[in-house]
């Protein structure tokens, strides 16, 4: 995972919502310095913050981390054989 790209994503999304780093930090319970470090690619947000970050920025965690809204359709339990037969890591779900 490229921390610089994740930081750019957060920055772009934050600015698109017309939020300052302080605004975003307040909504998430972190300092503006933490938000700044994320945006510069020095650190990543803690995993426990990611769902709230996505909610505030009106996006998905996948979009923040990967730059796309990859949706994996869960179709219930699947076996190793199912994965081998479909050639998919997710039991035939489209990615």
């Amino acid at each position: 995972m490229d921390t610089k790209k994740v930081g750019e994503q957060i920055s772009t999304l934050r600015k698109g919502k017309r939020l300052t780093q302080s605004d975003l930090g307040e909504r998430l319970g972190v300092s503006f310095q933490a938000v700044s470090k994320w945006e510069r690619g020095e650190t990543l947000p803690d995993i426990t913050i990611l769902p709230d970050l996505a909610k505030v920025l009106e996006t998905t965690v996948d979009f923040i981390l990967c730059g796309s809204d990859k949706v994996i359709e869960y179709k219930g339990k699947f076996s190793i054989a199912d994965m081998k037969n479909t050639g998919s890591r997710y039991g035939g779900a489209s990615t």
Side-chain angles (χ1 to χ4, degrees), residues 12-13 16 21 27 30 32 34 38 41 43 46 51-52 63 66 69 71 76 80 83 91-92:
T12 300
L13 291 165
Q21 290 177 339
R27 292 184 186 195
V30 300
F32 74 89
W38 302 340
T43 61
D46 187 87
D52 291 333
F63 191 79
C66 304
D69 282 318
V71 177
I80 300 297
M83 289 188 289

Side-chain angles (χ1 to χ4, degrees), residues 38-64:
W38 302 340
E39 292 183 358
R40 290 192 314 259
E42 292 180 16
T43 61
L44 289 170
D46 187 87
I47 192 167
T48 59
I49 292 175
L50 287 173
D52 291 333
L53 177 60
K55 185 182 246 183
V56 169
L57 298 176
E58 297 180 2
T59 189
T60 64
V61 172
D62 279 343
F63 191 79
I64 292 169

Side-chain angles (χ1 to χ4, degrees), residues 4-22:
K4 295 272 188 210
K5 287 183 181 179
V6 172
E8 289 171 10
Q9 240 353 39
I10 294 170
S11 177
T12 300
L13 291 165
R14 175 184 60 77
K15 290 174 183 175
K17 296 289 174 201
R18 297 179 187 259
L19 296 171
T20 65
Q21 290 177 339
S22 293

